[in-house]
């Protein structure tokens, strides 16, 4: 009966949330047995939308699911979600669920149109010491604070590939926002990934966690997305395989962000392009991950060092924000506005 009570409180909002998290258990009413539903959950598919986002071929690879069963599951899922088109107006209403997480710097937020947005992958790249990890740490705290546009704050998952996560850093940033240390650290779930495969496996756990505590988690951070791929695949011979694995991971991230309405923030490293000196490019360094990563990230921010503690962020690619720059500072309390 619990759901009815919730609906009474806020009639409009709940429908939206419900349509977002249609639990996979709803398939039982459509003649799919519990054992099969359990199999789907074991591979990180917990919502009806998750089924829609998985190809038949991938579902057939799940142990114990035959083609006939997969067809039946797909059919049942399509009954629950009306596939088809929305008008741009309907979609814009749906987009109202998108929230923004502040970066800690007003200039930077303005550049991003309010902050790191949900249902999207935001990628920040730059050389070492340009503030990528500091930005990740700051977001760990700001994501917990209520913000603009009715944003309520929530929990964070942090996947660390370079061993640069420092809880003490979160304490400093928590001081700046006057929030309790223990509470801040309690709301961040941390995992260290050791190989690119492990990184991918962690995403199954992430999806399960987001599903278990629906609407509680607001942000997933991966610092840095490419580091392990750089190590696990070396040379041109393994490039195709690396990009394929990377593409699968990014597609998984994009789906997770849309399925559970969370923001995904990833950092990325740079590479020096040895051929660039011949073509006289202004900046011979470029982000790694190639076109696959470039197309997967919704918004890309390039970070570079300014004077002293100042850093400059530039929109490198975004579907809605113009290519501008913003200057921010790295302070003891994380990312802040540059003092003139």
């Amino acid at each position: 009966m619990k759901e009815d009570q919730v609906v009474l409180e806020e009639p409009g909002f709940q429908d939206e949330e419900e349509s977002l998290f249609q639990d996979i258990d709803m398939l039982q009413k459509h003649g799919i047995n519990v054992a099969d539903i359990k199999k789907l959950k074991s591979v990180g598919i917990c919502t009806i939308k998750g089924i829609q986002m998985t190809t038949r071929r991938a579902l057939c690879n799940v142990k114990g699911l035959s083609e006939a069963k997969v067809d039946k599951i797909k059919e049942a899922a399509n009954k629950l979600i009306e596939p088809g088109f929305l008008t741009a107006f309907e979609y814009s209403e749906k987009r109202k669920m998108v929230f923004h997480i502040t970066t800690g710097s007003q200039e930077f937020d303005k550049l991003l149109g309010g902050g790191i947005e949900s249902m999207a992958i935001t990628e920040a790249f730059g050389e070492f010491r340009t503030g990528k990890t500091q930005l990740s740490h700051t977001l760990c705290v700001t994501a917990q604070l209520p913000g603009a546009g009715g944003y309520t704050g929530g929990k964070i998952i942090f996947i660390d590939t370079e061993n640069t996560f420092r809880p003490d850093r979160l304490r400093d940033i928590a001081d700046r926002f006057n929030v309790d240390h223990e509470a801040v650290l309690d709301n961040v779930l941390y995992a260290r990934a050791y190989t690119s495969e492990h990184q991918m496996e962690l995403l199954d756990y992430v999806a399960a966690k987001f599903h278990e505590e629906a609407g509680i988690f607001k942000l997933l951070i991966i610092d840095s997305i490419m580091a392990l791929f750089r190590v696990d695949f070396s040379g041109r011979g393994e490039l195709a395989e690396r990009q394929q694995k990377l593409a699968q991971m990014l597609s998984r991230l994009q789906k997770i962000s849309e399925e559970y309405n969370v923001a995904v923030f990833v950092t990325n490293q740079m590479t020096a392009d040895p051929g660039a000196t011949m073509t006289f490019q202004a900046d011979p360094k470029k982000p790694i991950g190639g076109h696959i990563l470039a197309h997967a990230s919704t918004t890309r921010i390039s970070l570079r060092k300014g004077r002293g503690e100042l850093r400059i962020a530039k929109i490198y690619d975004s579907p809605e924000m113009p290519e501008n720059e913003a200057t921010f500072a790295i302070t003891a309390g994380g990312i802040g506005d540059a003092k003139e």
Side-chain angles (χ1 to χ4, degrees):
M1 274 313 286
K2 210 169 76 197
E3 278 152 23
D4 297 349
Q5 295 158 3
V6 182
V7 177
L8 293 176
E9 291 167 29
E10 351 170 54
F13 184 64
Q14 199 58 28
D15 315 334
E16 274 299 296
E17 279 290 298
E18 279 304 297
S19 70
L20 192 67
F21 303 113
Q22 283 181 305
D23 200 302
I24 198 162
D25 293 331
M26 291 167 72
L27 289 176
Q28 281 184 39
K29 293 178 191 149
H30 292 263
I32 308 292
N33 66 31
V34 183
D36 289 343
I37 292 178
K38 220 178 193 146
K39 284 170 199 159
L40 290 171
K41 282 186 177 165
S42 72
V43 292
I45 301 172
C46 308
T47 64
I48 304 292
K49 198 157 185 181
I51 294 176
Q52 214 183 14
M53 290 173 170
T54 314
T55 60
R56 282 167 200 261
R57 189 169 146 203
L59 287 174
C60 288
N61 288 338
V62 175
K63 211 170 162 201
L65 290 185
S66 62
E67 276 189 37
K69 267 185 192 168
V70 168
D71 285 342
K72 205 172 152 192
I73 289 171
K74 277 282 191 189
E75 201 179 318
N78 283 340
K79 276 185 196 148
L80 288 166
I81 292 187
E82 57 290 354
F85 292 88
L86 302 170
T87 63
F89 178 72
E90 286 169 327
Y91 186 60
S92 78
E93 286 297 299
K94 211 168 171 180
R95 287 274 304 170
K96 286 188 178 157
M97 290 171 67
V98 172
F99 56 82
H100 290 85
I101 297 172
T102 169
T103 56
S105 152
Q106 288 177 348
E107 282 293 302
F108 201 169
D109 286 348
K110 214 181 290 170
L111 179 78
L112 292 171
I116 308 290
E117 78 170 350
S118 70
M119 290 201 192
I121 297 177
T122 306
E123 173 203 345
F125 65 85
E127 290 177 88
F128 57 97
R129 64 152 184 44
T130 49
K132 302 187 296 291
T133 300
Q134 295 308 316
L135 185 51
S136 311
H137 280 70
T138 309
L139 287 168
C140 276
V141 179
T142 58
Q144 300 183 33
L145 310 171
Y151 173 64
T152 51
K155 292 186 176 180
I156 296 97
I157 290 186
F158 194 110
I159 295 177
D160 179 7
T161 65
E162 299 182 312
N163 199 15
T164 49
F165 181 72
R166 299 287 178 271
D168 289 346
R169 195 72 194 90
L170 295 184
R171 291 196 172 97
D172 297 341
I173 299 170
D175 285 341
R176 167 185 160 194
F177 292 103
N178 296 328
V179 277
D180 181 51
H181 292 185
E182 302 278 299
V184 163
L185 294 177
D186 262 346
N187 287 331
V188 180
L189 269 188
Y190 169 80
R192 170 94 166 84
Y194 294 102
T195 66
S196 56
E197 277 176 16
H198 183 205
Q199 195 174 338
M200 188 69 185
E201 282 158 16
L202 283 172
L203 290 186
D204 285 343
Y205 173 77
V206 167
K209 203 72 192 148
F210 283 170
H211 181 73
E212 203 178 297
E213 303 185 36
I216 305 246
F217 283 92
K218 298 293 184 190
L219 175 67
L220 167 63
I221 298 174
I222 302 183
D223 183 21
S224 89
I225 186 123
M226 284 298 299
L228 298 174
F229 283 95
R230 250 182 161 171
V231 178
D232 295 350
F233 300 94
S234 55
R236 291 240 165 132
E238 296 179 352
L239 186 62
E241 193 191 345
R242 179 190 90 170
Q243 292 302 81
Q244 200 180 352
K245 291 272 192 295
L246 175 65
Q248 286 166 356
M249 186 164 125
L250 290 163
S251 129
R252 190 77 214 273
L253 278 176
Q254 182 63 47
K255 286 169 183 171
I256 286 175
S257 75
E258 286 182 35
E259 201 176 339
Y260 301 107
N261 190 16
V262 292
V264 174
F265 177 73
V266 302
T267 68
N268 191 10
Q269 305 167 334
M270 305 280 283
T271 175
D273 182 358
T277 42
M278 308 311 244
T279 52
F280 302 111
Q281 284 175 350
D283 190 8
K285 294 180 291 293
K286 53 181 207 253
I288 57 178
H291 292 286
I292 300 249
L293 186 54
H295 292 304
S297 312
T298 318
T299 306
R300 305 189 92 186
I301 311 159
S302 106
L303 301 174
R304 61 177 201 273
K305 200 170 177 346
R307 283 203 316 274
E309 291 301 303
L310 298 184
R311 302 287 184 271
I312 297 137
K314 181 177 183 211
I315 295 275
Y316 197 76
D317 168 34
S318 160
E320 51 184 342
M321 300 312 294
E323 286 201 6
N324 281 339
E325 291 193 348
T327 306
F328 63 92
I330 296 179
T331 64
I335 301 285
D337 276 317
K339 296 185 180 64
E340 287 306 318

